[in-house]
Amino acid sequence: MADLEKLDKIPGIVGYAVVRADDGAVETVKGSSTASVGDLTAFFSSAGEVIRDSLSLGDIEYISLCYGNSRLVIFTRGAKYLGVEIPRDTEPAELIKKIGAAEAVKPKIETQLPRSISSKLQQINLLIDEFGGEKKDHWFDLLNQGLGILGGDLNPYVGVMDSKFDFKDNPPADKEDDFVQALRSIIDFLVKKAVEEMGSSQARAKVQAVIEKMR
Amino acid sequence: MDQEIIKHFEDRGLSAGFLANSRGQVFCGRDSASMQSEIAQMATVIFETIGAVGDLSIDRIQIIGKSRGVVAEINKDRIIGSILDGDERDSAKRVFASLDEIKGIEVPVASAVVEPEPAVDAAKAEAAVEEPVEQAVEEGEKPEAVTKPKIRLDAGILETMKSILKDYVGDFADRIFNNQMKAQRIKSEALHDEDARRLIFALGKAAGMIIGPSKGRDMTNKLLALLK
């Protein structure tokens, strides 16, 4: 089975699910996909097996589904199915090649972010530290939820890696303004969630602490 | 018409083309004729699986095996594509390009009759829609469901939708709206009721993550009322 942490670092991956091939149980769902990638992977891997046998396709290399602006590519890894959501215009073979390369060597992409983006990124990580404390996973889930509805074109470029929200690849120059705006919306979303969960005075104190750290 | 699509496929060198609809009809090309019942089974499995995953609009599927592949486009009630062998099994671009060319030629009976032009308000459009042409039902075939007319909407409805969204989610509205327009591949210049409905449910789901599911549902209902 692929080292899942490597998937987190591959640019272009919006989200993914791991499903057991023997019983279709969904083991893992990660990322900011708004579609139910776990269910899609489970249902279509099973349907693919029926179609494979009926039409004598041979062992499945991959199944690709397109919906809206997204594509889900399902393929086997050992005794499991991996369903990976990517932008629609990415070819499945290209993705599988990228994953194969990442499995062979550790991807090392040096990202150089404009200051406007890196400061927002820092702010988000500090907010998650403050809001989450020792329990950051819940806040990473909320972050992914926020990315799913507010991130748009930003999503294939970012992800949570080694307990840190970061860029997997350099953002295109012409997208800088859009990405800054997306990150600003994500910050507002996290703050709104903090107010809901801990009340406005505690949330305000934590936001103030982040502002102090960023000075 | 459906058999003509297969002929168009063959004209483009895709001799294992197929078209299967949800009523159980299957049309096959020269090289796929021997697999007619397997293709029918495949179509049933795909339609049922799509039904099981809910309201996601899946429009393309590729199932690529080591010796053969299936590449197809999915509409609500039919699957059109081709079976590809050997080294060609992953030539999805070729199949989709052929389908795009065919779409340029094809004028399906239902859409040719029911799509009113120019665009009008949803309510007026409903009244303006002509009755779909009744198609002959072949022996042994399931009775045909009445084709639901596709109604063209005025793009102005999108602004009204955005304004309602803003009432619920405030400053998040623009980003949510633009992201969902893109994610659902909605073109304001060719907006139909089914696109609007898809967009509304996507907006309701997104808004629900900010304002909670019950307010999200409330907003969805308000948006759906625009289509009545």
Side-chain angles (χ1 to χ4, degrees), chain A residues 34 43 54-55 57 59 61-66 68-69 71 88 149-150 153 178 182 185 193, chain B residues 38 41 53 58-62 64-68 89-90 172 175 179 182-183 185 205 209-210:
Chain A
T34 49
F43 282 120
S54 155
L55 285 168
L57 302 181
D59 290 343
E61 289 185 349
Y62 68 84
I63 298 167
S64 159
L65 308 170
C66 290
N69 240 7
R71 182 194 289 272
R88 186 185 177 106
I149 56 173
L150 301 163
D153 291 344
D178 181 51
S185 296
K193 290 291 166 190
Chain B
E38 289 81 3
Q41 189 194 2
V53 295
I58 295 168
D59 55 86
R60 282 183 176 181
I61 186 165
Q62 292 158 246
I64 309 300
K66 292 232 184 285
S67 50
R68 192 178 263 176
R89 68 190 185 281
D90 195 10
F172 292 114
R175 265 209 93 75
N179 285 345
K182 203 168 177 185
R185 303 179 97 211
K205 191 176 166 190
M209 290 185 195
I210 292 176

Side-chain angles (χ1 to χ4, degrees), chain B residues 19-68:
Chain B
L19 186 154
N21 63 31
S22 55
R23 287 175 284 126
Q25 282 181 305
V26 181
F27 300 89
C28 289
R30 211 174 35 243
D31 293 346
S32 52
S34 61
M35 294 180 271
Q36 189 158 356
S37 65
E38 289 81 3
I39 290 169
Q41 189 194 2
M42 173 192 72
T44 305
V45 170
I46 292 175
F47 283 130
E48 282 179 0
T49 310
I50 288 175
V53 295
D55 58 359
L56 195 67
S57 177
I58 295 168
D59 55 86
R60 282 183 176 181
I61 186 165
Q62 292 158 246
I63 306 171
I64 309 300
K66 292 232 184 285
S67 50
R68 192 178 263 176

